Amino acid sequence: MAVREMTKLTLGPIAYHWSAETRRDFYARIADEAPVDEVYLGEVICSKRAPFHEPDLSTTIERLERAGKTVILSSLAEVMLKRERKAMEMLCATDGLEIEINNAAGLFARGRRPHRLGPFMNVYNEATIAWMAGQGATHVCLPGEMPATAISVAAQAARDLGLGVEVQVFGRASLAVSARCYHARAHGRTKDNCGFVCEKDPDGMPLRTADDRPILRVNGIQTQSESYVDLLPETERLVADGVTHLRLMPQAVNMAAVASAFRAALDGRLALSDAEASLRDLCGGTSFSNGFYHGRAGYRRIASAATA
Amino acid sequence: MNTAELICPAGTPAALRTAVDAGADAVYCGFQDATNARNFPGLNFTPEELRESVAYAHAKGAKVLLTLNTYPPAGKVDLWRQAADTGARLGIDAFIVADMGVADYVARSHRGIRLHLSVQAAASSPEAIRYYCEHFGVKRVVLPRILTIPEIREVRKEVPCEIETFIFGNHGLMVEGRCSLTNYLTGQSTNMDGVCSPASDVEYTRHDDGSISSQLAGFTIDCFGPDEKAGYPTICKGRYTAPHRSEGYYAFEEPVSLNLSRLLPELIDAGVNAFKIEGRQRSKSYVREVVSAFRHAVDDIRAGRSANVADLVALTEGQKQTQGAFETKKWR
């Protein structure tokens, strides 16, 4: 089997505050229709949101596992308050499912028991990978802003130590997190009395510049890119460089179809240009970007030989 | 009562001498490359300059802390290791690090030199801080600017190291070390290159009506009336519109600076061991004025007198100041 066909497609954790019902429908469809191998579940952005979807968690896990997907539980990116520290401690006590850690508080709680490292862990280089591998890490998702040159060196180092290597290939890039909630701020509220206004923006709240140019998206305490990262044209090089897992971040589009386009291109069943055209159709007017990968401004779309 | 140290910025050898003369207990500085988070043109030290500066500071009883607080991208780790080796050879008193690979290297290769955890590591819980203490022997953590004073007091009780907090200067809005806004617009990374809203990408445009807009890499960050002073286009201090905010608003924060001069006694009482003044990119006169003011304030508090901090508002960004997260949870 060609290496590309062995490459795993993953679905990252939902970054937004989708309602419990939306999540149930979403994961039912992923289980039934999406050719993804692994699914990350859990609230990564805001600890206030977690109680809304925790009641459905075990049903969702069961549903996805019955469909043959591997489920991994992702941790919060920011851990400061008592409830966040407690949540991290409980997650790190998980047995039977893999966990993905996004904050050093989790490394402390997990010790040397096996764990994955999420994109918020800032694993940028081979020295950090070697350190983490010695502490029980089995898998690393690299930060979204890493250029191809660094990804290649990091992936090789991780593979040599037996770690899985993951890179986000679809969806808005996470550009920053804060202690302050910008959704609440936009509505004249604070984080403690937010009224969960973030639920109104299932694909993030758009910010535009004074001259009306789309620039960023607000998702609670997180700031995201306006553009969707799309590394479909770059998948061949990612795989050749040693990346084992490609991550799709859930957006408010038909994610089962997005996954199908990536899978078909990876398996050689669909020409890259056709898969790319299909993605374009699925994502409406949202701009695509791959600048970070090419060492350029993240918002840019650099034409590659494969799709030119 | 602990005796809080005053940790002062040194972007140049001249600023370092100024800070030491004005009463800094320690200064922090970096080399002229991506190994530190203020990798700006015209700033920072050559090895020879650092050697002379260490001698100057030590002769006056001040310490020199070396910032190695960026994240080396894979393939470039040697630059950070060499910077650490050079700093050790030149006699610096502590390393300020963020990346675990760098921390691991320094902890193993330079055992005799103190290790401080940079704010860029964003260790905001006792568990995260203890991880760095237990594995790398970190002696002091610089806390993210997101905790209230009661929260700082609680953290202090649960960690085995000293804590340092920012008290004055630029007020970053995002979790430190987790922000790639600049890279998204300019192609230069805060974490990997030590760059934030680089001057080379800044433009000011004057329009026919006399108004001025500030741009970063071609993106308009803010607009100012003919009589307003145009601020520097930092992405997280920009004015944007949202669907229900068509008038434009500061989506993240207004252009304000952190000033905790009124909270110093409470911070000391909460167990803060060191106060950090931001501003390696600022002028010598700024360093002199701010360091002198805080030197007097800290001395007054140490002597049991009430501190009377000179009015520093004229020196702050946009001449506006905030106590940020330190004063109230409502900031969040």
Side-chain angles (χ1 to χ4, degrees):
Chain A
M1 202 191 290
V3 179
R4 292 179 68 191
E5 290 167 38
M6 291 164 61
T7 304
K8 291 198 156 84
L9 267 189
T10 74
L11 186 70
I14 297 169
Y16 308 101
H17 188 37
W18 292 356
S19 71
E21 190 186 352
T22 304
R23 283 170 184 261
R24 279 195 293 273
D25 294 348
F26 176 76
Y27 283 120
R29 192 155 179 203
I30 292 298
D32 293 342
E33 299 174 31
V36 295
D37 304 286
E38 305 182 351
V39 180
Y40 293 84
L41 298 178
E43 178 59 47
V44 172
I45 303 303
C46 176
S47 58
K48 286 185 70 177
R49 297 170 178 172
F52 289 91
H53 33 87
E54 270 163 5
D56 287 327
L57 189 60
S58 58
T59 322
T60 306
I61 293 169
E62 197 192 329
R63 181 82 202 260
L64 289 165
E65 286 185 335
R66 260 191 290 136
K69 323 284 188 206
T70 299
V71 173
I72 304 105
L73 301 180
S74 293
S75 86
L76 287 165
E78 187 172 290
V79 177
M80 174 174 70
L81 306 174
K82 279 214 171 69
R83 67 166 181 267
E84 294 161 354
R85 295 167 63 192
K86 187 79 195 156
M88 182 63 98
E89 195 188 326
M90 285 175 64
L91 181 82
C92 289
T94 302
D95 250 343
L97 280 179
E98 285 189 77
I99 63 166
E100 176 184 69
I101 293 174
N102 278 308
N103 185 289
L107 300 180
F108 180 81
R110 189 70 173 174
R112 288 180 184 239
R113 284 173 293 162
H115 55 272
R116 296 188 178 200
L117 302 166
F120 294 92
M121 266 327 307
N122 275 14
V123 180
Y124 278 95
N125 58 67
E126 62 275 36
T128 301
I129 287 169
W131 166 260
M132 296 288 203
Q135 299 298 315
T138 59
H139 182 105
V140 55
C141 183
L142 299 174
E145 66 164 347
M146 270 174 73
T149 45
I151 289 174
S152 163
V153 176
Q156 194 56 54
R159 292 284 294 271
D160 289 348
L161 293 163
L163 272 65
V165 189
E166 187 161 349
V167 168
Q168 180 185 338
V169 294
F170 178 82
R172 296 194 202 278
S174 177
L175 299 180
V177 286
S178 172
R180 172 178 271 185
C181 178
Y182 304 121
H183 245 110
R185 179 175 167 85
H187 291 268
R189 294 168 175 268
T190 68
K191 194 166 157 187
D192 280 352
N193 74 350
C194 66
F196 297 97
V197 286
C198 56
E199 192 174 353
K200 293 174 188 161
D201 295 301
D203 217 48
M205 182 185 81
L207 294 180
R208 304 172 83 90
T209 64
D211 46 4
D212 213 28
R213 187 173 176 187
I215 178 168
L216 300 167
R217 293 267 166 159
V218 163
N219 170 40
I221 65 162
Q222 183 187 39
T223 306
Q224 301 179 320
S225 63
E226 162 61 27
S227 58
Y228 287 174
V229 169
D230 166 29
L231 297 187
L232 182 62
E234 285 80 10
T235 50
E236 191 166 348
R237 181 167 169 204
L238 283 165
V239 171
D241 281 344
V243 174
T244 56
H245 293 60
L246 304 178
R247 177 176 294 209
L248 313 172
M249 286 303 286
Q251 304 297 151
V253 300
N254 182 346
M255 288 302 298
V258 168
S260 297
F262 270 88
R263 190 73 263 171
L266 282 169
D267 294 347
R269 287 182 283 109
L270 194 59
L272 206 50
S273 53
D274 292 338
E276 190 65 13
S278 160
L279 267 191
R280 260 278 45 97
D281 287 347
L282 289 165
C283 298
T286 304
S287 60
F288 285 175
S289 64
N290 59 3
F292 284 142
Y293 184 77
H294 293 279
R296 305 278 300 279
Y299 78 90
R300 289 190 183 278
R301 176 71 172 167
I302 311 296
S304 73
T307 50
Chain B
M1 190 167 78
N2 82 74
T3 53
E5 286 180 24
L6 204 52
I7 315 298
C8 304
T12 61
L16 182 144
R17 291 191 297 272
T18 303
V20 168
D21 292 347
D25 293 304
V27 289
Y28 60 100
C29 56
F31 290 120
Q32 293 171 340
D33 56 33
T35 58
N36 80 94
R38 285 283 187 276
N39 181 20
F40 300 169
L43 280 195
N44 298 319
F45 292 63
T46 64
E48 181 55 24
E49 286 169 344
L50 185 62
R51 192 186 60 75
E52 291 166 4
S53 299
V54 167
Y56 187 89
H58 285 178
K60 300 214 168 188
K63 299 189 185 91
V64 178
L65 319 181
L66 183 66
T67 51
L68 290 175
N69 57 347
T70 39
Y71 291 85
K76 297 188 178 170
V77 179
D78 278 351
L79 184 64
W80 277 253
R81 289 180 175 164
Q82 286 158 13
D85 295 347
T86 303
R89 199 178 68 239
L90 299 176
I92 58 108
D93 298 283
F95 295 106
I96 308 175
V97 304
D99 180 74
M100 289 194 205
V102 174
D104 179 44
Y105 175 77
V106 172
R108 283 187 289 108
S109 305
H110 302 292
R111 277 176 194 281
I113 304 180
R114 277 170 65 97
L115 196 52
H116 293 189
L117 188 64
S118 170
V119 71
Q120 298 297 323
S124 54
S125 68
E127 291 78 16
I129 294 166
R130 285 169 64 188
Y131 180 85
Y132 290 94
C133 292
E134 289 183 10
H135 290 292
F136 309 117
V138 162
K139 296 285 192 290
R140 178 184 294 175
V141 58
V142 185
L143 287 181
R145 284 162 270 206
I146 61 178
L147 299 164
T148 62
I149 291 177
E151 287 165 349
I152 291 172
R153 186 186 301 275
E154 289 306 307
V155 169
R156 183 69 190 85
K157 286 182 198 156
E158 292 188 54
V159 300
C161 66
E162 301 168 359
I163 59 175
E164 179 173 316
T165 59
F166 280 90
I167 53 167
F168 193 82
N170 180 39
H171 188 229
L173 262 290
M174 303 306 183
V175 173
E176 293 88 347
R178 302 293 183 280
C179 178
S180 30
L181 288 169
T182 290
N183 198 4
Y184 185 63
L185 297 193
T186 72
Q188 297 200 68
S189 163
T190 305
N191 278 353
M192 296 183 283
D193 302 314
V195 170
C196 175
S197 301
S200 54
D201 285 285
V202 170
E203 275 189 295
Y204 295 93
T205 307
R206 186 176 286 278
H207 303 282
D208 292 342
D209 61 359
S211 66
I212 294 172
S213 60
S214 62
Q215 281 119 17
L216 187 71
F219 285 85
T220 299
I221 304 299
D222 206 348
C223 295
F224 305 89
D227 303 325
E228 283 182 285
K229 186 170 176 287
Y232 193 84
T234 309
I235 303 166
C236 62
K237 307 280 177 66
R239 225 173 328 192
Y240 308 98
T241 65
H244 63 292
R245 299 293 297 262
S246 57
E247 78 285 8
Y249 74 115
Y250 290 106
F252 306 104
E253 178 63 292
E254 294 167 33
V256 294
S257 289
L258 185 71
N259 183 358
L260 301 187
S261 56
R262 293 197 185 88
L263 300 178
L264 297 181
E266 284 176 66
L267 288 164
I268 290 175
D269 189 59
V272 174
N273 303 89
F275 293 138
K276 181 164 236 158
I277 295 168
E278 185 276 345
R280 283 192 279 152
Q281 70 285 14
R282 306 299 295 258
S283 69
K284 248 182 357 177
S285 62
Y286 174 93
V287 169
R288 181 182 302 115
E289 213 164 327
V290 175
V291 174
S292 302
F294 280 103
R295 175 77 277 157
H296 289 131
V298 171
D299 286 347
D300 284 343
I301 296 164
R302 283 176 178 174
R305 297 187 292 268
S306 65
N308 186 16
V309 184
D311 187 11
L312 296 169
V313 72
L315 294 171
T316 58
E317 184 185 0
Q319 283 83 55
K320 286 184 210 153
Q321 54 192 359
T322 176
Q323 296 186 131
F326 293 84
E327 188 189 16
T328 167
K329 288 200 292 179
K330 290 188 177 132
W331 178 84
R332 295 172 191 153

